[in-house]
Amino acid sequence: MSSTNPQGQHVVTAVIVAHDGAAWLPRIAEALLGQTRPVQRVVAVDTGSRDRSGAVLAELLGRSVVFGMDRRTGYGAAVAQALRHRAANTNVPGLAGVAHGERIEWIWLLHDDSEPETDALEQLLRGAAETRGAAVLGPKVMDWSDRRVLLETGVTIDTAGRRITNIEPREVDQGQHDGDRDVLAVGSAGLLVRRDVWDQLGGFDQAMPLFRDDVDFCWRVHAAGHRVRVVTDAVVYHLEATPRNRRPASAAPRPRRMDRHNALLTLLGNLPLRPAMSALAGNLVLSALRTLFFLLAKRPRAALDEFAGVTSVLGHPFALLAARRRRARGRRAAYGKLRTELPPGRSLRRLAEFAASVFYTSTQIDTAGSHHATDDPDEDEYLLTDTGFAQRILTNPGVLLFAGLLVITLAAERSLITAGTLTGGALTPAFGGVSGLWHEYLQSFHPVGIGSASSTPPYVAVVAALATVLGGKPWLAIDVMLIGCVPVAGMTAYFAARRITTSVWARVWAAAAYALLPVGMGAVAAGRFGAAVVFALIPLICMLAARIFTAAGRRARRAAWATGLFLAIAAAFVPLIWVLALAAAVLAAATLGRGSRSMLLNLGIAVLTPVLLLLPWTLQVATQPALLFLEAGQKVHGLATAGLPARSLLLLSPGGPGLPPYWVTGGLALAALAALLLTTRRSLVLTGWALALLGLLIAVAASRVLVTPDGALRPVAAWPGIALAVAAAGLVLAVVV
C-alpha cells in the first residue's frame, strides 16, 4: 500500500500485530486508512490467531502486506520480523525530489485493539517537527469503550517496579493532562519512533515478549541521547484486551510472572549500580510481603508467580549482567536526566492497597456497568470499593486472634518491654551489630557457645539472618522472637487446626489454648528466646509431620523434607526437640510403618535431616550429651525448678519465673480426658494422647536431669517447657477433634 507524501521528508510505515483480534480489526483498519496524513507503508502480522484475524487483515489491507507467525511469538519479535518484510521496505512514490539524507523514516506501532483518531498521525508528526530531538512520540490514550475515560499521557516506572501513569482509575478527560512534554516512556499502542533509532537500539528487547518492553525501549532511547515526548493532541483509543483478560496472552502463559520479571529486569538493567542495588533490596522485601499476602489469601498460583518472577531474574546472574552490559552506554547520563521521572516505590501506601486487593476481590468496571475480576499485570491497579474491605479485615478470626494474643502478651510482659533492651533470665543483652553475629557464626574456632569451645551454635545464623532483615539490629531480632512468640504460636496453631476441623471457632479455641500455655509466657518472662522460637514452630512441625502419614508419593516425600528443615531450625535453638522427634518417629515406625518402606524412609529423612544440616555442631552434641538439655544462649543458671512437683508437670506447668498457678491448665487436661469417650475419629484422639504422653515422659526425664552447663560449679535441672509444649499440642489435638 502506498500514497503520495504530503509532508515531504517523512516516510511512515505502520505495523499492526494481531492476536485473536478479528472483532476489532475492521475499526483499526478503517481508522488507519482514513488518516488525514496517510502512511506510506503498511505491514501486518498475525501471530497464530485462532479466529479470522489473518483473513480479516488480508481482506482489509491486501494479502501482500500480511503474513503469519507462531502463536507464542512476542510483540517485539513480531515487529522486528514485520520490518524485515518486503512490504515494509518498498520504494515510496513521490520522493524523487527529496534527497535521501533529508528523508526521515518512521515506524508507527498499532495494536489490534487500538483505534487512532483520524488526525493522530498528523499530530504526532507535528510534534516531531516542533521537537527535532524527539525520536519517540506517543499519543494520549483513551478507553476504547468509554471514550471519556483517560488511560495514559505517558508512563513511567517506580523503584518498586510498578507501572505509573499518574491517572486515577476511571478518570474523565477534561484536558487536565494536556500539553506536549518529555516523559520517561510512552506505551507501545500508537508509538511513533524514528526507524534509524529503532535499528540502532535493536527495537524492543525480545527477552520481554510482553509487558514493560515499551518502558525499557524508551529508557534506552534516553540513554542513546534522544528524547521521548507525549503529544496529547494525538489520540488513540485502546481496549487493553490482554490486561483485561479479553483474550489469552499466548506469549506470556503466566502474565503476572512475566510482568514481575520484566519490571525487575527493566530496573536492574537500566539503573546505575548503586540505585540498582537499592532497588533490588527494596523489591526483595516487597516481593516477600506480596508472596505472603497471596498465600494468606489462598492464591498459591499468584504467590508462585510473584516468587518466580523475582527468582527468574536473580537466578540467572549472567543473563542479568549481559543485559546490563547491553545497556551500559549512556546509562548514567540517562539516569541523571530521568531521576525526577522515577518516583519512589511509595511502599507503605501501595502495600496497603495491595493488601486490600488481595483480601478483597478487586474489580474493574466496563462500559455496560458490569464488573469482572481483573489480574492486570501491566498496570497493577486495583479498584477498591468503599465497603467490605475494612469489615472483612477487622472481623477476620485470624486477624482478631493475632491482635488479641499480641495485646495479652504486651500487657502480661509490660515490665520487660518498658525496661528498654530486653535482658535478664536466660537472656543476655544483644550488643553489637549484625556483622558481629555473622563473623561469630562463620568463624572456624572460638571459645563461646552453649557448652562448645570450637564451633558456633547454629542458632546464631538464624538470629543473624533475622537481624539482617530487621535493619542489622540483633537486639530487635531478640525482641521480636520473645514478644512475638505467643501471637505467632497462636497463628501456627490456628492454621494447623485447619487440617483437623472446619469449625472456625474450634480453630480459634485450639490456637488460644496453645498460645496461652504457661510455657509461652514462661519463655518470655525468663528470656528463653530459643524456647520462644520452638514454641511457635511446634504446631507447624506437627502439621508437616502429619502429612507424612496422610499424603502419598511425592507429597509425602516433600512433607518429610519440610519437616526435617523446620525441625533443624527448632533443634538449633532447643536440641531437646530433636529427642522428642526421634522418639515420636520410632513410635510411629513401630505402630504405623510396618511393611511400608516409603513411610520408614520419610521418617528417616525427617529425623536425620537436622543432624546433617546442623553439622559440625551435632558432632559436639554426640560427645557432650548434656548439650541436649540446654537452650540457645543459656548461660545463666537457676532458672529451672529442681525437683518439680508431678502435679505441675501433669498440668503442663514447667516451673521457673513468671508463671501463673499450676492449676490454670486443668481444664485442658479434663477436656482431653473427655475426648477419650468419643467413638468417631478415635484414631486422632489416640494420636493426640500418644503425643501428650510422650511429651510428658520426656518432660519428667528433663526435669530430673542435672546438667552442668559451661563448666558451672552448681548443677541445675533442665527446663521441661518444650517437652510440655509438645504434650500440650497432643492434648489440644485430642480436644479439638
Side-chain angles (χ1 to χ4, degrees):
M1 173 178 175
S2 63
S3 68
T4 59
N5 183 11
Q7 294 192 17
Q9 73 272 25
H10 294 296
V11 177
V12 181
T13 302
V15 178
I16 300 175
V17 178
H19 185 81
D20 294 338
W24 315 306
L25 287 173
R27 291 174 61 173
I28 287 97
E30 181 181 359
L32 175 62
L33 297 176
Q35 289 292 302
T36 57
R37 195 297 188 185
V39 299
Q40 278 66 52
R41 308 185 187 101
V42 175
V43 60
V45 188
D46 174 33
T47 56
S49 298
R50 291 173 178 167
D51 57 10
R52 299 186 62 255
S53 294
V56 171
L57 285 171
E59 293 170 5
L60 296 172
L61 303 176
R63 294 186 179 277
S64 62
V65 301
V66 179
F67 68 98
M69 296 186 72
D70 183 75
R71 185 169 178 81
R72 295 178 63 89
T73 303
Y75 186 75
V79 174
Q81 186 62 33
L83 293 175
R84 289 192 287 267
H85 193 270
R86 183 175 59 181
N89 297 281
T90 57
N91 292 325
V92 178
L95 293 181
V98 180
H100 185 75
E102 298 177 359
R103 182 190 308 179
I104 303 177
E105 292 262 1
W106 295 91
I107 303 166
W108 195 23
L109 303 181
L110 294 173
H111 295 189
D112 59 357
D113 60 345
S114 62
E115 177 186 351
E117 280 277 19
T118 55
D119 65 341
L121 180 58
E122 181 180 355
Q123 294 296 340
L124 289 172
L125 291 174
R126 174 194 58 77
E130 292 175 355
T131 310
R132 293 298 179 127
V136 175
L137 302 105
K140 175 166 65 177
V141 182
M142 308 285 290
D143 188 77
W144 172 291
S145 302
D146 187 347
R147 303 205 166 193
R148 304 170 301 164
V149 173
L150 187 62
L151 297 181
E152 291 177 12
T153 54
V155 298
T156 186
I157 186 173
D158 68 12
T159 54
R162 289 176 49 87
R163 189 172 186 269
I164 304 297
T165 63
N166 292 319
I167 305 295
E168 296 296 326
R170 307 295 301 171
E171 183 175 345
V172 175
D173 180 29
Q174 297 176 328
Q176 66 271 35
H177 296 283
D178 282 358
D180 299 357
R181 57 189 177 275
D182 284 8
V183 292
L184 183 145
V186 293
S188 57
L191 179 148
L192 184 71
V193 54
R194 272 177 31 199
R195 190 163 184 172
D196 61 326
V197 174
W198 176 277
D199 293 338
Q200 173 192 347
L201 299 178
F204 289 169
D205 188 344
Q206 296 185 26
M208 302 180 182
L210 290 176
F211 312 128
R212 312 304 179 103
D213 47 359
D214 44 12
V215 177
D216 173 74
F217 174 73
C218 291
W219 201 327
R220 290 186 283 125
V221 169
H222 285 289
H226 306 290
R227 297 167 67 180
V228 177
R229 286 180 67 80
V230 61
V231 180
T232 54
D233 286 338
V235 176
V236 170
Y237 301 101
H238 195 197
L239 182 62
E240 296 184 321
T242 300
R244 296 183 182 182
N245 297 319
R246 299 289 185 89
R247 63 173 170 205
S250 301
R254 303 299 291 268
R256 182 178 294 276
R257 180 182 304 183
M258 179 171 290
D259 177 69
R260 195 73 182 105
H261 170 276
N262 292 352
L264 198 57
L265 185 60
T266 298
L267 284 171
L268 300 185
N270 292 287
L271 284 172
L273 183 59
R274 182 174 296 179
M277 292 300 98
S278 176
L280 173 59
N283 276 275
L284 286 176
V285 175
L286 179 62
S287 288
L289 294 175
R290 285 167 64 104
T291 302
L292 178 61
F293 279 134
F294 279 129
L295 291 174
L296 293 177
K298 302 178 184 178
R299 295 173 61 185
R301 285 174 61 89
L304 178 61
D305 286 342
E306 179 67 30
F307 178 76
V310 175
T311 55
S312 62
V313 176
L314 303 184
H316 298 82
F318 294 111
L320 177 59
L321 291 174
R324 286 186 59 81
R325 283 196 298 269
R326 291 195 298 270
R327 293 162 172 79
R329 186 173 183 180
R331 177 166 52 209
R332 188 167 297 278
Y335 178 68
K337 181 174 68 171
L338 299 173
R339 191 169 185 174
T340 58
E341 298 289 332
L342 296 169
R346 296 177 287 179
S347 301
L348 293 178
R349 175 189 165 193
R350 292 304 185 183
L351 188 58
E353 292 180 2
F354 180 76
S357 71
V358 171
F359 285 108
Y360 191 83
T361 304
S362 58
T363 59
Q364 281 186 332
I365 305 173
D366 59 18
T367 54
S370 61
H371 294 67
H372 58 87
T374 180
D375 189 17
D376 182 351
D378 194 38
E379 186 63 27
D380 200 23
E381 291 288 350
Y382 297 91
L383 308 181
L384 307 180
T385 60
D386 294 331
T387 61
F389 166 63
Q391 180 180 1
R392 179 167 180 166
I393 292 297
L394 296 178
T395 59
N396 184 280
V399 174
L400 293 176
L401 173 69
F402 184 88
L405 292 174
L406 182 60
V407 170
I408 292 173
T409 306
L410 294 175
E413 309 299 342
R414 59 187 180 277
S415 60
L416 288 177
I417 299 169
T418 56
T421 302
L422 296 184
T423 60
L427 180 65
T428 55
F431 296 125
V434 70
S435 59
L437 282 176
W438 283 119
H439 177 72
E440 180 181 354
Y441 177 70
L442 297 174
Q443 195 173 12
S444 60
F445 176 88
H446 57 84
V448 295
I450 53 173
S452 170
S454 60
S455 178
T456 306
Y459 75 84
V460 173
V462 181
V463 177
L466 180 59
T468 302
V469 174
L470 295 176
K473 298 178 176 63
W475 63 265
L476 182 57
I478 298 297
D479 290 3
V480 168
M481 288 179 180
L482 282 174
I483 303 303
C485 77
V486 172
V488 172
M491 294 307 296
T492 56
Y494 181 78
F495 287 114
R498 291 175 54 190
R499 309 288 297 181
I500 307 168
T501 178
T502 58
S503 171
V504 173
W505 297 115
R507 290 160 55 192
V508 170
W509 175 88
Y514 178 80
L516 296 177
L517 286 169
V519 175
M521 290 301 181
V524 178
R528 300 179 182 274
F529 70 92
V533 171
V534 178
F535 179 66
L537 288 178
I538 284 174
L540 181 60
I541 294 172
C542 291
M543 181 181 68
L544 293 171
R547 292 181 182 175
I548 297 176
F549 305 100
T550 58
R554 292 184 178 179
R555 295 183 62 186
R557 184 61 49 81
R558 288 196 296 266
W561 285 112
T563 303
L565 174 61
F566 282 96
L567 186 59
I569 297 174
F573 287 91
V574 181
L576 186 62
I577 191 68
W578 182 82
V579 177
L580 281 158
L582 177 62
V586 171
L587 180 62
T591 56
L592 303 175
R594 294 180 179 178
S596 176
R597 295 181 59 185
S598 177
M599 183 177 294
L600 292 176
L601 178 59
N602 289 337
L603 288 172
I605 290 173
V607 173
L608 295 178
T609 297
V611 177
L612 299 176
L613 290 180
L614 299 181
L615 285 172
W617 180 71
T618 49
L619 297 178
Q620 298 175 28
V621 176
T623 58
Q624 302 177 28
L627 294 177
L628 289 171
F629 297 95
L630 298 181
E631 301 174 14
Q634 185 173 340
K635 297 179 182 179
V636 180
H637 316 309
L639 296 175
T641 302
L644 192 66
R647 63 177 182 271
S648 293
L649 291 172
L650 290 174
L651 294 177
L652 309 174
S653 182
L659 292 187
Y662 68 89
W663 46 263
V664 296
T665 51
L668 177 60
L670 291 176
L673 286 171
L676 290 172
L677 301 177
L678 289 177
T679 57
T680 58
R681 306 183 75 184
R682 194 172 183 83
S683 60
L684 281 178
V685 176
L686 294 177
T687 300
W689 266 103
L691 190 62
L693 293 175
L694 180 63
L696 284 171
L697 289 174
I698 299 295
V700 171
S703 65
R704 299 298 186 267
V705 170
L706 296 181
V707 182
T708 306
D710 293 341
L713 299 177
R714 185 161 55 90
V716 181
W719 192 64
I722 292 305
L724 290 180
V726 173
L731 295 180
V732 170
L733 169 61
V735 174
V736 82
V737 171

